[in-house]
Amino acid sequence: MAQPGAESVWLWIGTLGMTLGMLYFIGSGWGVRDPEQEQFYIITIFITAIAAASYFSMATGFGLTEVELAGKTLDIYWARYADWLFTTPLLLLDLALLARADKNTIYTLIGLDAFMIGTGLVGALVAASVVFRLSWWGISTAALAFLLYFLVRSLSDMADERPPQVNSLVNRLQNLLIVLWVAYPIVWIVGTEGLGVVPLYWETAAFMVLDLSAKVGFGFVLLRSRAVLDAATDVSRASATAP
Ligand SMILES: *C/C=C(C)/C=C/C=C(C)/C=C/C1=C(C)CCCC1(C)C
């Protein structure tokens, strides 16, 4: 079995960062009793818990495989994709629930997202040729483009009907998500999975910084303001019970 190299330092930092993030969200959600607010804590805690387990598995060499490509051996951390397959839909769910998106919107977002991660995994594991690998990257990136377009189109409209501070939180999280998620296919294509311009060591560091920002950073922005979460949950309930 392949063993992690010098890049394992970043994987351990990732493990630690995700664990601390998870503990922080558990601690800050402890006193929350409102079921609707609780769901944001539960989702965000699961995101960091899954990522912490995935980083631990990669740091200890479980999530690593080798792909033989034209006489070269690529070290591929497949555990990333197992992590992303669950955590990226949960991140979208956090945002969609905040914007009060309808079911069809949520299913479409999650469907596009799972397609993106699945095709990205195929691209990472295909050993037939570089052209095939890059084609899968193209398919996955097209899915990301649709996903982000759909996200902006649908959520912005839905969030417009929410209280102003909730609307602005949705917009802030949406912008953060777009900036960070667009970086993933770039790191992939310049890294060892793609053109190999950036060595595995730095690629691993880049994914770690992106993962921590997109999960712990995102969760922090979402859960930091109890007042906004109150507005996100109470106002709607008041209007739902109005005659
Ligand atoms: C916490 C983890 C997050 C937010 C991961 C996001 C990952 C992506 C947006 C990955 C996208 C990819 C492509 C668009 C093409 C190449 C393969 C991927 C999976 C890196």
Side-chain angles (χ1 to χ4, degrees):
M1 194 163 99
Q3 283 302 314
E7 74 280 1
S8 69
V9 60
W10 305 121
L11 300 171
W12 284 114
I13 295 174
T15 310
L16 187 69
M18 292 298 178
T19 307
L20 290 176
M22 178 190 72
L23 293 175
Y24 174 76
F25 296 136
I26 292 175
S28 57
W30 204 255
V32 177
R33 287 289 167 269
D34 180 88
E36 228 190 317
Q37 277 183 32
E38 267 178 344
Q39 60 184 1
F40 294 109
Y41 286 92
I42 294 169
I43 294 169
T44 311
I45 289 165
F46 268 111
I47 292 168
T48 43
I50 293 168
S54 152
Y55 265 92
F56 184 63
S57 83
M58 293 192 285
T60 52
F62 171 78
L64 178 63
T65 187
E66 287 178 342
V67 172
E68 303 288 336
L69 185 74
K72 275 197 308 181
T73 303
L74 304 180
D75 287 322
I76 302 291
Y77 283 99
W78 61 264
R80 290 189 188 297
Y81 301 85
D83 162 343
W84 295 346
L85 191 60
F86 293 101
T87 55
T88 53
L90 290 173
L91 286 162
L92 291 169
L93 190 61
D94 257 343
L95 192 53
L97 290 174
L98 193 66
R100 279 282 152 77
D102 54 51
K103 284 213 170 65
N104 286 351
T105 304
I106 295 179
Y107 295 151
T108 307
L109 286 172
I110 291 180
L112 282 167
D113 182 75
F115 182 83
M116 169 185 83
I117 302 297
T119 50
L121 173 63
V122 176
L125 295 180
V126 159
S129 81
V130 176
V131 175
F132 288 164
R133 294 177 66 88
L134 298 184
S135 308
W136 285 106
W137 175 86
I139 294 167
S140 177
T141 302
L144 175 63
F146 273 117
L147 170 76
L148 296 181
Y149 172 76
F150 185 72
L151 185 79
V152 171
R153 282 293 304 270
S154 57
L155 287 200
S156 305
D157 285 354
M158 291 169 180
D160 280 346
E161 282 153 33
R162 319 257 22 231
Q165 68 271 49
V166 179
N167 186 14
S168 78
L169 180 60
V170 170
N171 285 327
R172 197 171 326 130
L173 287 170
Q174 182 181 282
N175 293 340
L176 182 68
L177 188 148
I178 293 171
V179 169
L180 292 170
W181 287 33
V182 161
Y184 281 85
I186 300 172
V187 172
W188 196 99
I189 197 81
V190 298
T192 46
E193 283 92 351
L195 304 172
V197 187
V198 172
L200 185 62
Y201 182 79
W202 292 114
E203 181 190 339
T204 309
F207 273 138
M208 184 270 291
V209 172
L210 286 175
D211 282 342
L212 281 177
S213 313
K215 296 181 170 70
V216 179
F218 182 96
F220 188 73
V221 174
L222 170 66
L223 300 174
R224 152 180 73 175
S225 167
R226 195 58 73 77
V228 179
L229 283 188
D230 281 344
T233 48
D234 286 338
V235 169
S236 56
R237 199 162 317 135
S239 61
T241 53

